[in-house]
Amino acid sequence: MTDPADLTIADAGARLRAGELTAVDLLDAVRRRASMTEAILHAYLTIDHAGASEAAAEADAALARGEDRGPLHGIPVALKDNMVTRGVETTASSRILAGWVPPYDATVVQRLRAAGAVIYGKTNLDEFAMGSSTENSAYGTSRNPWDPDRVPGGSSGGSAAAVAVGSAFGALGSDTGGSIRQPAALCGVVGMKPTYGLVSRYGLIAFASSLDQIGPLGRTVEDAAMLFEAITGYDPFDATSSPGPVPAVRASLDGGVDGLRIGVLSELASEGVEPSVAAAFHDTLDRLGAAGATIEEVSLPTTKHALSAYYLIAPAECSANLARFDGVRYGPRIDGPNVEQMMAATRRDGFGPEVTRRILLGTYALSAGYYDAFYGQAQRVRTLVVREFAAAYERFDALVTPTSPTTAFPVGARADDPLAMYLSDVCTIPSNLSGDPAISVPVGLDESGLPIGFQVLGPALGDDTVFRVARTVESLVGFAARPALATSEGAV
Amino acid sequence: MPVEIDIARVARLARIALTDEELEHYGAQLTGILEHASTVQGLPTEGVEPTAHPLGMVNGWRDDEPGATLDRDEVLAAAPDHEDGYFRVPPFLDE
C-alpha cells in the first residue's frame, strides 16, 4: 500500500472518511517522513509534537461524533515560521526573535484550526522572508529535496521542501516578491499567491506590508485550492483585508481553457531563461493551445523596471516594519548605557546580513532628500505597472511566464552577490506590485532532474481563473515525479 | 547613475551599530544596488499618482468599543525586562 505521506490532501481526506485511515495515522506518516528527511533537508525550525498529537486525536474524535469540518479535517499541514502561533516558538528565522512564544494565533492559524487541520510544525525561511534561497535563515539553510546540494528557493523554502518530500500534506507560505511561487517551482510543487487582501495578514510578521500575501503550497492544484478556501475571507483585524466575496476556486477548477485568451509576457519569457526552462515553458504553451486556448505574445514594457521599483519599495517598507524589533518588547536584548545604544546593539546582533542590508537600503530610500527620487518615483512606476497589467487583462484572461528563469541553483552560488540573487525573482515580482493573483505549477524536470515551474497570472479577484488554468496545465502535462529522497528506502 | 551614500548616517538612522568595516561593506553593496535601482529615475512619470496599495482600498473603520486584548502578564513575560506592569528600558538621556 502507498505510504499515507504520499497521498494528496484530497485522497487522504477520502480515506479518512471511508474509515481506512485516521488523523493519527496521517500524523504518524508525516512524522516518519520527517524523521527520514529532516537531518538532510532541515525544512522545519520547530515541530509541535504535543500540539499536533492532540489536534489529530481531536480530529478523529470529532469525526467519530459525525462532526466533519471540511476538506482539511485531520490533515497535517505546516506553517512558515513568520506566522505567529500561540504557545509555539515563532522566530521568522531571526536571532532577534529567538525564544519568542507568541501570546496569540495569526488569523490564518485560527482558520486552519477551525477547518480541522493539524498543525505539525513551523518551517524554515529566509530571515523575515527576505531572500530567494532560504540561505538567510539564522538557524541554517534548508536543502532542496531533489538535490540536497541545491537551494529549495525562498523565502518559503522550508514549506516547499516539506510539501515536496511529504513531511507535510500542504503548507502556508508568504509571498512578497515571489516567496511562495519561486520555491514551489524549485521544489516541484504548486504554490499560489492570492489577490492582495483576500487572506488576512493579521499575525503575519510583516516584511513589506503593501506587497506581503499569505498563500498555499500543495502537491496538486486541487490541494492548494482547498487550503486557499480555508484561509481566505474578510478579517476585521486586518485593515487591508478585502470585504468582498472570495472567488470560488474549487468549483471552477475543471473548467478547462477552451476559449480562454492567454498572453505570453514577452519581457519575462525570454531574457535570461535557461534553455530547459524555456523548452518546458513552450511545450506547455503548445498544449494549452491544443486544448483550445488562444495564445498570443504581449509586451508590458514597464515590467522590465518592476524589479528596480521593488528593490526600493520593499526595503523601504521593511525598514519601517522592522523598527519594532528594538529589544524592548520581545526577543533578546544587548544592554547599553542608554536606550539608543541598547537598541542599536540589539539590532546589530539580532539581524543577519541580508536583513541589515535591506533595512539600510530602505532607510536611505526614505531619508530626507532621497525620498521622492527613490521611494516616490518607485511608487509612481508601480502605478505604471498596475496600469499595464490592467490594460493587458482587457485583452487576456490570464498571462503566463516561467516562474523562475532557472532551476534550483547550488547552495552558496549567489550568496555573495545580492543583485544576482534579486534577479531570481524577476518573473514573480510584477504581480506583487500589481496585487494580482499568481500561481506556479510544475511542468517538468531539466537535464539534471530538477523541477521547472510554469506561472499563471490573473487579474485582481481572478483567483479562480489562475487556479483553473493551472489545473488544466497540471492535467495536460501530467507531472507526477517526486523526489527520490522521499520514497526510496535507504536514500537517507 | 552614480549614487552618494553617507552610510554612517544611514546606519545611525536605522539604529544599527555597525563597525567601520561593516559600514564600508554595506556602503559598497548599497551603492551597487541603488545604481541598478535608479533606472526608475529615468522613467517618465509626470502626473502619475504613486500607488501605496495595489487595490486602492479605503481605510476600514470599526466602532470605538473596547474589545478583548492580549493578556498583559503574558505579553510582559516575553519582554527582556519589565517592572510594575511596564516594559523597562535603559535611560533615554545620558547623565
Side-chain angles (χ1 to χ4, degrees):
Chain A
M1 174 180 161
T2 318
D3 184 331
D6 292 320
L7 296 172
T8 63
I9 294 175
D11 290 342
R15 295 202 191 191
L16 200 64
R17 282 163 189 83
E20 295 164 26
L21 286 169
T22 65
V24 169
D25 293 335
L26 296 178
L27 178 60
D28 285 344
V30 159
R31 280 195 173 124
R32 279 197 303 275
R33 187 58 57 83
S35 70
M36 281 172 65
T37 55
E38 269 304 285
I40 289 177
L41 297 186
H42 189 38
Y44 284 93
L45 291 179
T46 305
I47 290 177
D48 181 17
H49 285 293
S53 293
E54 198 181 311
E58 209 280 314
D60 283 331
L63 217 49
R65 294 193 296 270
E67 196 185 317
D68 187 337
R69 295 177 191 147
L72 299 184
H73 191 114
I75 306 292
V77 297
L79 297 170
K80 187 178 184 177
D81 196 41
N82 59 352
M83 297 167 210
V84 306
T85 40
R86 181 179 176 84
V88 178
E89 184 180 7
T90 301
T91 67
S93 286
S94 183
R95 277 199 307 274
I96 210 161
L97 275 175
W100 183 55
V101 178
Y104 68 107
D105 274 332
T107 295
V108 289
V109 177
Q110 292 172 23
R111 290 194 176 172
L112 286 178
R113 292 195 205 280
V118 172
I119 293 164
Y120 178 56
K122 308 296 293 291
T123 55
N124 199 8
L125 63 149
D126 288 293
E127 185 176 1
F128 288 113
M130 296 177 202
S132 310
S133 67
T134 316
E135 291 167 291
N136 298 330
S137 168
Y139 306 103
T141 187
S142 295
R143 301 285 173 151
N144 191 308
W146 298 83
D147 177 355
D149 292 331
R150 292 174 186 266
V151 303
S155 61
S156 310
S159 286
V163 172
V165 85
S167 57
F169 282 83
L172 298 188
S174 65
D175 190 314
T176 306
S179 280
I180 291 172
R181 293 162 282 156
Q182 184 257 20
L186 270 44
C187 289
V189 299
V190 176
M192 197 264 176
K193 181 189 83 77
T195 297
Y196 183 85
L198 283 186
V199 181
S200 169
R201 293 179 300 105
Y202 177 72
L204 173 71
I205 297 174
F207 160 16
S209 304
S210 79
L211 305 164
D212 296 340
Q213 183 64 93
I214 294 171
L217 294 108
R219 272 170 248 160
T220 63
V221 174
E222 184 184 21
D223 283 3
M226 289 176 182
L227 286 159
F228 172 97
E229 292 196 341
I231 61 173
T232 43
Y234 177 67
D235 177 17
F237 280 29
D238 175 356
T240 59
S241 175
S242 172
V246 177
V249 300
R250 265 202 306 154
S252 60
L253 270 187
D254 292 317
V257 294
D258 193 17
L260 285 192
R261 301 155 303 165
I262 295 177
V264 179
L265 276 185
S266 46
E267 281 82 8
L268 303 178
S270 49
E271 207 180 325
V273 178
E274 277 179 357
S276 56
V277 175
F281 179 70
H282 287 288
D283 176 62
T284 305
L285 287 181
D286 290 344
R287 289 169 196 254
L288 284 168
T294 315
I295 312 284
E296 210 181 301
E297 284 231 352
V298 55
S299 168
L300 302 188
T302 312
T303 54
K304 280 190 305 221
H305 302 286
L307 191 76
S308 296
Y310 176 86
Y311 276 101
L312 294 168
I313 296 167
E317 295 185 12
C318 123
S319 72
N321 275 324
L322 271 59
R324 64 171 63 94
F325 300 102
D326 56 8
V328 174
R329 285 152 298 172
Y330 23 63
R333 170 187 293 183
I334 304 295
D335 278 320
N338 60 34
V339 80
E340 185 179 331
Q341 286 181 50
M342 178 279 282
M343 288 178 179
T346 298
R347 287 161 64 78
R348 187 225 172 287
D349 200 63
F351 293 134
E354 181 62 31
V355 172
T356 301
R357 181 156 50 236
R358 294 202 200 187
I359 291 174
L360 294 172
L361 189 53
T363 302
Y364 174 81
L366 290 179
S367 63
Y370 303 103
Y371 178 93
D372 198 59
F374 285 108
Y375 184 68
Q377 176 69 357
Q379 294 281 55
R380 286 188 287 273
V381 171
R382 182 177 189 177
T383 305
L384 300 181
V385 172
V386 171
R387 284 183 190 166
E388 274 187 4
F389 271 110
Y393 289 126
E394 284 174 13
R395 291 172 49 213
F396 296 100
D397 299 293
L399 302 172
V400 295
T401 75
T403 308
S404 164
T406 72
T407 53
F409 44 92
V411 170
R414 299 180 191 174
D416 297 324
D417 186 352
L419 260 179
M421 188 70 94
Y422 294 172
L423 286 167
S424 305
D425 300 328
V426 67
C427 296
T428 50
I429 276 174
S431 55
N432 293 88
L433 293 175
S434 67
D436 299 333
I439 193 167
S440 177
V441 57
V443 289
L445 299 174
D446 73 2
E447 60 282 355
S448 311
L450 298 167
I452 295 167
F454 183 89
Q455 182 179 224
V456 182
L457 316 175
L461 301 175
D463 304 61
D464 48 347
T465 306
V466 306
F467 267 111
R468 178 175 148 198
V469 174
R471 173 76 188 99
T472 310
V473 166
E474 182 180 58
S475 63
L476 293 173
V477 173
F479 180 86
R482 298 262 70 100
L485 197 65
T487 49
S488 63
E489 288 292 320
V492 182
Chain B
M1 175 181 296
V3 175
E4 291 284 326
I5 304 175
D6 181 352
I7 189 71
R9 175 170 175 268
V10 174
R12 171 124 203 271
L13 288 173
R15 299 279 187 276
I16 303 181
L18 297 176
T19 64
D20 289 346
E21 211 169 286
E22 287 167 334
L23 286 174
E24 196 178 325
H25 170 74
Y26 286 117
Q29 287 187 332
L30 255 59
T31 305
I33 295 165
L34 283 166
E35 278 171 5
H36 187 266
S38 67
T39 56
V40 299
Q41 291 175 337
L43 295 175
T45 57
E46 219 176 87
V48 176
E49 287 292 312
T51 295
H53 184 300
L55 302 183
M57 285 171 45
V58 293
N59 201 4
W61 301 97
R62 67 163 172 80
D63 294 332
D64 185 19
E65 282 165 13
T69 58
L70 299 177
D71 179 76
R72 179 156 74 175
D73 290 338
E74 224 178 328
V75 170
L76 287 171
D81 197 5
H82 61 94
E83 187 179 314
D84 298 337
Y86 296 97
F87 297 111
R88 188 183 150 96
V89 293
F92 272 80
L93 298 170
D94 291 318
E95 293 181 15

